[in-house]
Amino acid sequence: MPTAFSWQAARWVSTVFSPPLLGALGAVLLGFSLNSPGSWGWTLAYAFASIIGPTLLVIWMLRRGDISDFHLRERAERIKPMIGFLLLFLLSWLFFQVAGAPRVFQVLAAVGVLQSAVILLVTLAWKISGHCAGAAGFSVYLWGLYGAAAAPAILFIPLVIWARVTRNRHDMAQSLAGAAFGAACMLLALAALAPHCPGAGFQCV
């Protein structure tokens, strides 16, 4: 059994490394990194589709009583919100395609569609950690922005895995699966950008 201190520490880690907060920070860092005309407008559009929209959807469903927990602890309650997340990513991907957004936003939205679809399918029978997926994806994302200077961010992954297991929100297998999937999705995004912006990583415009 975890001690009172470790339980509270794990709670704070889970809060600080929650997917919406990491997503918001990632959007801000991308906006500063691109530093090109109109980049903040595209960044805001991406933030709405991938962070603000899903968060508002969860809050709305919580108030309606469709779900019992903001963090979607119960697997059965994750299905409807995840369908909504998938639709939001699909709409954002279509918007970025039609509007001629910088390639980085098109790729991130496309990978978001893939990630949402896979997690939805997995959730029908199992549950993987969104926190761990977010932490691992964010670590790779920082590497794609800043290169080797972001290497210490890899420590986020075991820290969040420890927190989710300590709080009994996921077991080790679910946590590791989430981390592996989150990292794989960001690596896929980098691979999709590489032929068009060699060496630019997520600073591709």
Side-chain angles (χ1 to χ4, degrees), residues 107-184:
V107 168
L108 286 173
V111 171
V113 172
L114 174 64
Q115 185 175 30
S116 299
V118 171
I119 291 180
L120 173 59
L121 290 174
V122 170
T123 303
L124 295 175
W126 199 41
K127 184 172 74 168
I128 63 175
S129 173
H131 276 74
C132 294
F138 188 67
S139 298
V140 176
Y141 179 79
L142 292 179
W143 176 56
L145 282 178
Y146 306 116
I154 197 172
L155 297 176
F156 295 162
I157 302 172
L159 178 63
V160 175
I161 289 175
W162 167 80
R164 303 312 285 166
V165 173
T166 297
R167 296 205 70 213
N168 199 31
R169 292 302 176 94
H170 294 280
D171 59 29
M172 184 59 71
Q174 293 168 344
S175 300
L176 291 173
F181 182 63

Side-chain angles (χ1 to χ4, degrees), residues 16-95:
V16 171
F17 288 91
S18 64
L21 288 181
L22 290 182
L25 177 58
V28 171
L29 293 176
L30 181 60
F32 279 117
S33 295
L34 292 178
N35 194 28
S36 62
S39 62
W40 281 107
W42 294 116
T43 300
L44 182 60
Y46 177 74
F48 180 82
S50 62
I51 306 159
I52 301 172
T55 301
L56 292 176
L57 175 62
V58 171
I59 292 173
W60 178 69
M61 296 186 72
L62 185 61
R63 290 185 174 180
R64 277 173 48 92
D66 295 329
I67 57 176
S68 59
D69 175 29
F70 178 80
H71 297 290
L72 306 175
R73 182 174 183 176
E74 298 298 324
R75 182 180 62 83
E77 293 184 356
R78 293 185 170 200
I79 306 300
K80 288 183 179 179
M82 286 182 176
I83 293 173
F85 299 163
L86 176 57
L87 291 175
L88 284 170
F89 270 108
L90 277 170
L91 289 173
S92 69
W93 177 76
L94 288 171
F95 170 75

